């Protein structure tokens, strides 16, 4: 497992692999790795000859400076975990070289209309930060396959439209969410929950499940179902930002009974903002 911080060096190693007709699967992360990330790495191992994982806490995608400064950094443990997998390259760029022009001078990539709703609406600038970092990472690594988690459902759509928009020859794999035994979606931010909050946090999963069951049993009053789940979460001590039942392929409001649906939730628990989703 090579550790490379230098952009040229990472790019050169990947170019060499491509020249040798080896395929590359790429898993971008912000570190503080948990079993969900490692599940993505396993998928990557099955998808290509070479596996590249990046660890980079991208300042451009944080709309809240406090969230950025509190973001957990556990590089040593991350590398130890990755050492148990067949990872060929861990790319760990420095912010100063990755955004050599200075963070404030970076020309951001417009993520388009999908970024104006839900997470995009609640976290202005977040998805422009995502498209900007992902495009640069894709240009450096030029992977055959990029592996992302459905935990960040809207992010998968943003990346998919980025690939389409720029005509990149990358196949996008979206992996279902890995959960703790009580249903809580694994997340680096879970480490910030107090023991009491950690116990409470899985209520998001239970509320999504109840909403899903209501839909499956024929309830199509989606606004009412959203209000019920929001009310329940509030009563349970959350500060919900949204509970939204949307079309799974567009994230627009449902229109037809045949629409495939997804339930998306963002809620704060104490100081920690949690997001999750569930397909119906
Ligand atoms: P992050 O380090 O939070 O930027 O996440 C890196 C990648 O891991 C993203 O594609 C996430 O969607 C994915 N990911 C994070 N948590 C999970 C999870 N619980 N299950 C599946 N994928 C996840």
């Amino acid at each position: 497992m090579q550790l490379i911080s230098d952009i040229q060096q990472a790019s050169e190693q990947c170019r060499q692999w491509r020249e040798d007709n080896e395929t590359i699967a790429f898993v971008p992360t912000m570190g503080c790795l948990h079993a969900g990330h490692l599940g993505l790495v396993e998928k990557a191992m099955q998808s290509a000859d070479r596996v590249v994982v990046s660890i980079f806490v991208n300042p451009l995608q944080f709309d809240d400076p406090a969230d950025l400064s509190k973001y957990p950094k556990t590089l040593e443990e991350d590398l130890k975990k990755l050492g148990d997998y067949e990872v060929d390259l861990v790319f760990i760029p420095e912010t100063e070289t990755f955004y050599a022009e200075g963070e404030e001078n970076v020309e951001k990539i417009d993520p388009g209309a999908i970024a104006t709703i839900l997470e995009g609406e609640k976290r202005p600038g977040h998805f422009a930060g995502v498209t900007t970092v992902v495009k640069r990472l894709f240009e450096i690594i030029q992977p055959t396959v990029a592996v992302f988690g459905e935990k960040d459902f809207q992010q998968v759509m943003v990346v998919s439209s980025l690939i389409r928009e720029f005509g990149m020859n990358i196949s996008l794999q979206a992996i279902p969410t890995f959960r703790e035994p009580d249903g809580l979606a694994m997340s680096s931010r879970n480490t910030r929950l107090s023991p009491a909050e950690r116990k409470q946090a899985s209520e998001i999963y239970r509320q999504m499940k109840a909403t899903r069951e209501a839909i499956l049993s024929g309830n199509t009053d989606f606004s009412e179902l959203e209000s019920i789940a929001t009310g329940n979460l509030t009563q349970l001590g959350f500060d919900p930002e949204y509970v939204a039942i949307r079309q799974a392929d567009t994230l627009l409001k449902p229109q037809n009974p045949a629409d495939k649906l997804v339930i998306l939730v963002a809620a704060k628990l104490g100081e920690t903002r949690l997001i999750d989703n569930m397909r119906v």
Side-chain angles (χ1 to χ4, degrees), residues 13-279:
Q13 173 60 87
C14 294
R15 192 196 58 75
Q16 216 152 32
W17 284 329
R18 283 193 306 278
E19 210 173 86
D20 295 342
N21 282 321
E22 291 187 293
T23 53
I24 301 171
F26 177 43
V27 186
T29 81
M30 297 205 296
C32 191
L33 302 181
H34 50 67
H37 293 116
L38 299 172
L40 264 52
V41 171
E42 273 189 26
K43 281 285 171 198
M45 284 160 51
Q46 293 157 12
S47 305
D49 303 314
R50 299 287 182 176
V51 173
V52 178
V53 176
S54 65
I55 298 179
F56 179 58
V57 181
N58 173 34
L60 296 190
Q61 71 188 72
F62 285 79
D63 52 313
D64 172 6
D67 189 31
L68 173 60
S69 64
K70 279 188 299 187
Y71 202 83
K73 294 193 182 70
T74 57
L75 184 59
E76 210 170 304
E77 286 128 76
D78 291 348
L79 295 176
K80 222 155 114 193
K81 287 177 188 168
L82 291 175
D84 293 337
Y85 293 79
E86 286 157 33
V87 174
D88 296 282
L89 194 171
V90 187
F91 179 45
I92 317 169
E94 303 284 348
T95 311
E96 293 71 29
T97 47
F98 196 84
Y99 295 126
E101 66 272 62
E103 280 170 48
E104 44 317 313
N105 301 321
V106 173
E107 206 171 304
K108 305 231 181 79
I109 309 291
D110 180 0
I114 184 77
T116 60
I117 56 171
L118 302 167
E119 282 300 280
E121 188 188 341
K122 296 295 177 194
R123 303 184 66 190
H126 168 66
F127 284 126
V130 169
T131 47
T132 304
V133 74
V134 170
K135 180 162 181 282
R136 285 195 187 191
L137 288 167
F138 281 175
E139 284 166 353
I140 296 164
I141 307 299
Q142 296 188 35
T144 326
V145 179
V147 187
F148 283 77
E150 272 199 359
K151 157 81 168 44
D152 300 281
F153 199 89
Q154 199 172 356
Q155 175 171 274
V156 172
M157 290 188 167
V158 166
V159 173
S160 165
S161 88
L162 175 78
I163 291 174
R164 219 176 22 247
E165 190 78 12
F166 286 91
M168 294 168 157
N169 190 16
I170 298 173
S171 122
L172 178 61
Q173 274 195 10
I175 309 302
T177 302
F178 292 85
R179 298 183 178 282
E180 301 289 356
D182 66 354
L184 175 66
M186 291 178 179
S187 165
S188 306
R189 288 188 175 84
N190 294 350
T191 57
R192 289 197 210 148
L193 298 168
S194 71
E197 288 169 345
R198 170 62 194 83
K199 250 176 124 177
Q200 188 76 339
S202 60
E203 286 296 341
I204 292 180
Y205 176 69
R206 274 192 281 286
Q207 287 304 317
M208 291 194 304
K209 246 173 84 171
T211 305
R212 178 174 184 273
E213 272 154 31
I215 297 170
L216 289 175
S217 63
N219 191 335
T220 53
D221 190 344
F222 300 128
S223 351
E224 193 203 11
L225 290 173
E226 290 168 354
S227 308
I228 292 172
T230 306
N232 289 347
L233 285 171
T234 306
Q235 281 216 322
L236 289 160
F238 292 84
D239 182 6
E241 290 188 4
Y242 58 80
V243 175
I245 300 165
R246 296 294 172 94
Q247 296 178 33
D249 49 356
T250 60
L251 292 187
L252 299 176
K253 295 200 171 166
Q255 307 228 308
N256 302 303
D259 285 340
K260 292 209 169 90
L261 302 179
V262 59
I263 305 157
L264 304 115
V265 177
K268 280 188 96 171
L269 186 53
E271 292 298 303
T272 310
R273 186 174 184 278
L274 301 169
I275 61 167
D276 203 347
N277 65 81
M278 186 180 281
R279 288 176 182 271

